[in-house]
Amino acid sequence: PAGSFSAESGSSSASACMSCPKGTFSVASSAACTKCPAGTFNNEQGSSSESSCLNCPAGQFSQVLGATSCSMCPAGTFSEGKRAACVSCPAGSFSTIPGAVSAETCRKCPACTFSSTTAASAENACLQCPLGTCSFPGQATKQSDCTLLCAPGTWSPTGLAPCTPCAAGTSN
């Protein structure tokens, strides 16, 4: 019957049929069980269709075929569900939340820092820009993205280079 298999040819007894183990399923007349696809799991024995392979919930993943459970995404990553792997927070950001369910949990590195690390799990992955330079929050992924600050007597709309000299009779 569905949910079981028989590896014996010419079997004349239903007792030759064995239940498919957790993480698998079979349709009627199967000689083998089929493993649930990655991104899904099945924790019941004797399942009779692929629909018994349930999607991993948001914040979790399963990399292997035939999973019997899903694993929680580590901090620095997230999953919106039915994933074989978690998605990394991009460089220039970090997340301290394990089991995160969306990209919104990836927080931008603060101003005047940079980070080339993907899947960063703590703010300390955001490194300070060199003295006299700065960056916009979450936009610097390497040290060279840190831009010179405007010197006294110059200005720009952002306070970062390129800078324009202050007009005669003014200062900053």
Side-chain angles (χ1 to χ4, degrees):
S4 61
F5 73 102
S6 174
E8 296 178 22
S9 58
S11 177
S12 60
S13 169
S15 64
C17 298
M18 297 182 287
S19 286
C20 289
K22 294 176 181 182
T24 67
F25 67 94
S26 77
V27 294
S29 304
S30 290
C33 299
T34 303
K35 292 182 178 184
C36 290
T40 68
F41 73 103
N42 174 352
N43 59 6
E44 302 212 357
Q45 191 170 325
S47 296
S48 60
S49 71
E50 188 171 358
S51 64
S52 63
C53 301
L54 305 174
N55 292 337
C56 287
Q60 298 183 23
F61 72 104
S62 70
Q63 293 179 303
V64 297
L65 298 174
T68 58
S69 65
C70 299
S71 301
M72 185 178 294
C73 291
T77 67
F78 65 93
S79 168
E80 295 172 348
K82 194 182 179 189
R83 300 293 305 209
C86 300
V87 179
S88 296
C89 289
S93 69
F94 66 96
S95 175
T96 60
I97 302 168
V101 299
S102 72
E104 282 82 50
T105 61
C106 301
R107 296 184 5 215
K108 293 179 179 181
C109 286
C112 302
T113 65
F114 67 96
S115 176
S116 60
T117 305
T118 58
S121 60
E123 189 172 347
N124 65 5
C126 307
L127 305 174
Q128 202 63 40
C129 285
L131 191 63
T133 66
C134 198
S135 65
F136 295 109
Q139 293 187 1
T141 59
K142 55 190 180 301
Q143 185 173 327
S144 61
D145 291 335
C146 297
T147 308
L148 288 172
L149 294 166
C150 289
T154 65
W155 72 279
S156 78
T158 64
L160 301 175
C163 306
T164 305
C166 292
T170 64
S171 68
N172 64 349

